[in-house]
Each structure stands twice: as C-alpha cells, then as structure tokens.
Amino acid sequence: MLASASPRTAPLADAAAAFLSGGKHLRPTFCYWGWRAAGGDPAERALVDVGAALELFQASALVHDDLIDGSDTRRGRPAVHRRFAALHRSARWHGDADAFGSAAAILLGDLMLTWSAEVFESAASDGDGVDAARVRRARAVFDRMRTEVGGGQYLDVVEQVSGAMTPEGQAERARTVIRYKSARYSVEHPLVMGGSLAGAPEPLLASYRRFGSALGEAFQLRDDILGVFGDPDLTGKPTGDDLREGKRTLLVAYALERASTAQAELVATRLGDPTLDLDGVQALRAILVDTGALARVETLLAELVSDARAALDAADVTDDGRKALSHLVDLATERTA
Amino acid sequence: MLASASPRTAPLADAAAAFLSGGKHLRPTFCYWGWRAAGGDPAERALVDVGAALELFQASALVHDDLIDGSDTRRGRPAVHRRFAALHRSARWHGDADAFGSAAAILLGDLMLTWSAEVFESAASDGDGVDAARVRRARAVFDRMRTEVGGGQYLDVVEQVSGAMTPEGQAERARTVIRYKSARYSVEHPLVMGGSLAGAPEPLLASYRRFGSALGEAFQLRDDILGVFGDPDLTGKPTGDDLREGKRTLLVAYALERASTAQAELVATRLGDPTLDLDGVQALRAILVDTGALARVETLLAELVSDARAALDAADVTDDGRKALSHLVDLATERTA
C-alpha cells in the first residue's frame, strides 16, 4: 500500500524491515506461552497476528524513544533517525539532515503503530480459531497496555527533567515509571493477552498477572544494570549510555538516598552529561557500587524472581507451559545483553 | 487509565482535550453524511465512535506535523510542542525546554493515534446497530487511509528537501502528495467509511470515491491558497506561514514552470526561509500571481468542484444526504479559514 503511493517511500519499508529483523521478540514469546500454558492450540494462526502486533508496537515505541533520548544506535545498528539523516546526507538533499532524520523517524514510528493496530485486528478475522469475545478481552489488555506505555514514557521524560529537584520519593517514582513503561508491558500484558485469547479462566489470568508483573520488573532492573555495567560488545550499546542519557533509574534513586554530599554533587553534575567519557562513567559506576545501590537492586531483583517463581508454581498451567515460562525467567533475568 | 498511572500525566490529557475542542470536524462530518446519504439511521451510536476515531487520528497527525514543520501555532493556539516547552519553562525544570516539548508532542501524538484505533473498535462492539462485516469493510478503508497519510507525509518531507533539485515533474509530485496526504483522507476515505458502515452497494461507494477524491483535492488546493494568501485573523496562522515552512505546493510547482530566472532564484533563496518577513512574503506572493500559478490553481480547483458536483448528481443518495453533501462542497472550497 505504501509502495503504490510512490517508489520514493521505499526507504520507510526498508527501515521497518531492517528494524523488525532484530530484537529478542520477548513480547510475542510471552504472548505465545500465555496461550500455550492455558491449553491453546500450538498451530493457531491468530497468535501470529497478535505476536506481530506486539512486535510492531514495540518497534514503534523504540523508534520514538531513541529519537527522544537522542540515542545513536539500537540493536547494534544506527537508530532510525540516524539512518534517515544518513540518507539525507548521501542524497545531498537540501536543509538540515538531522531534522529530516527526526521527521522520518516520527512518521515511521507512526506507521508502525498503525500497522500494529491493523495486524492485531487480523487476529479477529482469522475466523474459527479464536472467538470474538476472547479477542475482545485480549484487545482490552492491548488498549490498556498501549496507553500505559505512552503515559509511562511521558513520566520517564518528566522525571529526567525534574527528578533531581524533588529527591524525596524518587525511588517510588522510578518504580512507577518501570511499572508502566516497561514491566507490565514486557511480560504481564502479553502473557495475559495470550491467556485471554485461549479463554483462560480468571484464576489463571490472576496468576499470570502476579508472575508477569514480578518478572517484568525484574527484567527491567536487569536492563537498568546492563545499561550502566553491561559489556558494550554484548549489549550493542555504548558503555554507560544510560548514564549519558541521564536515565533516572532505581539504581540512581537508591544511590542518591545514601550518597555523601560529594557523591550527590558528582551525580548532579555528570548524570545526563552527553560528553561523559569513560572516566566519568567509572566515577558514576563507583558511586552506584559504593552506596550499595547496585547490591540493593540485585537483592530486589532476586526477590522479584522468587515472587515470579512462586506465582508460576501455584498456577494451573500445562506442563510444557510451565517448563517454557520457567526457562523464560532465567533468560529474562540472567542475561548479559 | 492515564491518570491511574500518576497525576503527573494530567498535562497530556489536558493538551488532548484542548486540541480536540478545536477544528472543523471535517472528517467525522463526511463520515456521518456518507452513512446518512446511504440511508443509515441518524441515531446510530457506532457513527459517533468512528467519527471520534477519525478526529483523534487527525489530531495525532497534526500534532506530529506541527512538530516536523516547526509550526508555532495551530487553531490559533500554541502548537502542542510549544505548549509543553512552555510547561517546562514555567516549572523551571532542568535541561532543554524545546527538547522536552518535542518529546511530549511525540508521545501525545502516539497516544492519540492509539486512542483513535481503540475508539474505532468500540464501533464494532456497539452491538446490533452495525454488523461485523460492515465494520470490517470500514476498517479496511481506515487501514488504507492511515498508511496513505503516513506515506504521504513522508513524501511531503522528501519533496521539501529534494524538490528544488528535480524541477521536472514537480507539479505531478505535488499532486501525488496532496492525494495521499490529504485529498483522499479529508473526504473520500471518511465518506466511504460511512457508506461501508451503512452497507452501501458498490456503485454508491464508487460515486463516493469520485466525489470525494475531487472534492478532497479541491479542499487541499483551497488550503494551499489560504496558507499563502489567507487572512491570519481568519486562518489562525501567521501570514505566509506555508512560504516560511517551504511547502512544495502545486502553487509553487506551477510558478516554477513559468518563472523567469530572477523569479526562480528568488523562490530558491526565500521559500523555506524561516526568517522571511512581510516584504519577503509579498515578493513571493507576487511571483505566484505574476506567473499565473494562482489563476491556474483556481481554475483546477473550479474543475474539481465541478467534477465533484457531477459525481454527486449521478449518485443514488437520499434527499437529505444530497443536500448536505452539496452544502459541504461550498463549505470546503469557498471558505476563508
């Protein structure tokens, strides 16, 4: 449909295809196992549509997120706005290449958001496999998820510009951001969507919610740790990128609760400094370790993993579902990338 | 759902409400009359949902468009990115107020795009009024429309940075942009959506398409003329805003086809100059008049209006539908704002 308008739209489709070929496919995986663990048929076609909808939604959010954060890379490649800025330069077009890159990233993110909704609805028309009432229940979760993610991203941006001004309650606010922007969205909502499509009874959906919210938060905490301490060769992101972007993570909030005046001042001046070099990264890392923040986050992460496992143990799921979900707990929280 | 995450998201809901309270509601109006003119029940609730979906989609597109174009105002008020930059300044937050404004505008546009999809689906669950097959047909048009608008906006941006480099075929390209970005989207698609929901037979939908594509293009040409020659007190946009933004409209393409070397050079240097003052606006306006571009666009506009009227005359519509659609032709093409 895009190409029928003009061959000049080809770079949009190319960028979307390149973007979607990467990533961990975390959300489609949880959606699929939410379905399977509730006894859903492994070959159901609607699951492919819903999985694709989740992946397109995530792609859209990341493209806009990278633009907002000014990130240069994503999944080891140039971020979409950088890709289009490079296209502008190589074509020797007029005007500001970065402005063109931003415009294209906004529009491609919008298109992927729209395609996400479109492909979700294909699940409803796949016919006899999944009945309309089940699709409606899954859609209600999808709707809630999409609004929560947008609201969570906004809170994240507000926190980055205002967090330092109101240090009280910062840890609680950081957890709120995590919950809406990523925790429920990474695991809980996709899992419940899969379960709803399979017609899972309410007690099983409740187990999914407990399991998913704990695991999702643990997943995000691992992400926060990797964003500061991760190996760039494995994560595909430059060393200490989250520090340079000034992310107000729980790590930072915990560190500030116990920082000395000198440490707090260093955080205030260097966190979010786009010119932060390796020495600066090391200095901030040292504060996160010395204040005990890293250890506290690791402890909380371990508690959340244990909560998730307890919820899974108590859940009435199929055997292969239990095995897969248990394996996903390891993958999501013990990863190095 | 937004507010449940945190009261700090309130500015998003406020901005959305303020934005949606303005505008001409052109698309819901055409959708409604596409329904009514095909014999649809005036009291059908699903029409309200689909109208709201169209209005939210348009709001999302405008919020992102204003950000991409760097427009300061919309509907006589600050553009959304300016509104949030002002919030940043008044709260005395850290960092770059304009970057915060851009981030918030991206996220609010995304939320409105998502709410548009959500509210469209409510139409399907409103029950007995509209059957599922009709909703599916309307959704197919909605899907095509959303992708066309995104693709058209991208072509528009590409044309702004590359148009001057390839003057041949510029008029044709300008009409392609118009067709996808706005013409079919303003009238044809909403009208056909309304007709599809009412179960209109294919010949009537074909009439709607002929009527809608002609009227939509005429509507956009009027918009282009107002963007250059309009009275800022009536349009709510600063004098000559489209010239300052460097819009590659059909007016500009026609002017360049017949411009003298001196005129072409003035267009090349001043069109898209953000510092363009009233003298500069007057000089560019004079070129659009002297090359005959304005007259050619007015002639084309009149032909399109006549095509639209002929299509309406031949269409098998209800009496009140014919009257309303005929009135809308006047409103859309003879307006001053």
Side-chain angles (χ1 to χ4, degrees), chain A residues 40-60:
Chain A
D41 173 0
E44 173 54 47
R45 161 84 201 161
L47 262 283
V48 178
D49 292 327
V50 175
L54 286 165
E55 206 56 17
L56 278 160
F57 178 76
Q58 165 72 351
S60 164

Side-chain angles (χ1 to χ4, degrees), chain A residues 57-135:
Chain A
F57 178 76
Q58 165 72 351
S60 164
L62 291 179
V63 167
H64 284 178
D65 222 30
D66 286 344
L67 175 61
I68 289 171
D69 292 343
S71 305
D72 293 324
T73 58
R74 166 65 64 180
R75 297 174 176 172
R77 286 183 250 175
V80 166
H81 56 111
R82 298 279 181 239
R83 180 189 175 106
F84 279 90
L87 171 67
H88 183 286
R89 286 192 192 94
S90 71
R92 299 177 181 281
W93 283 335
H94 294 291
D96 183 349
D98 291 334
F100 177 79
S102 300
I106 291 172
L107 296 172
L108 183 60
D110 290 350
L111 280 166
M112 294 199 292
L113 186 52
T114 245
W115 294 335
S116 165
E118 180 174 340
V119 83
F120 181 94
E121 297 309 326
S122 323
S125 25
D126 277 342
D128 37 24
V130 178
D131 80 37
R134 292 179 182 183
V135 172

Side-chain angles (χ1 to χ4, degrees), chain B residues 24 62 65-66 68-75 156 159-161 170 177-178 181-182 219-232 235-253 266-278 280-282 284-285 288 294 297 335 337:
Chain B
K24 290 186 267 287
L62 291 179
D65 223 29
D66 286 344
I68 289 171
D69 292 343
S71 306
D72 293 324
T73 57
R74 166 65 65 180
R75 297 174 176 171
D156 196 13
E159 193 60 27
Q160 281 180 53
V161 296
Q170 195 165 172
V177 168
I178 285 180
K181 183 182 168 178
S182 57
F219 173 83
Q220 182 56 47
L221 294 178
R222 178 59 64 216
D223 220 51
D224 289 349
I225 293 171
L226 289 170
V228 175
F229 297 95
D231 178 343
T235 63
K237 295 202 311 193
T239 304
D241 219 26
D242 284 5
L243 297 172
R244 220 167 279 115
E245 287 174 12
K247 287 226 171 99
R248 312 297 302 192
T249 59
L250 191 60
L251 269 176
V252 171
L266 202 113
V267 171
T269 52
R270 305 307 308 274
L271 184 71
D273 175 354
T275 68
L276 195 73
D277 60 9
L278 203 59
V281 170
Q282 297 290 16
L284 288 174
R285 278 181 179 167
L288 298 177
L294 176 60
V297 171
R335 66 208 160 89

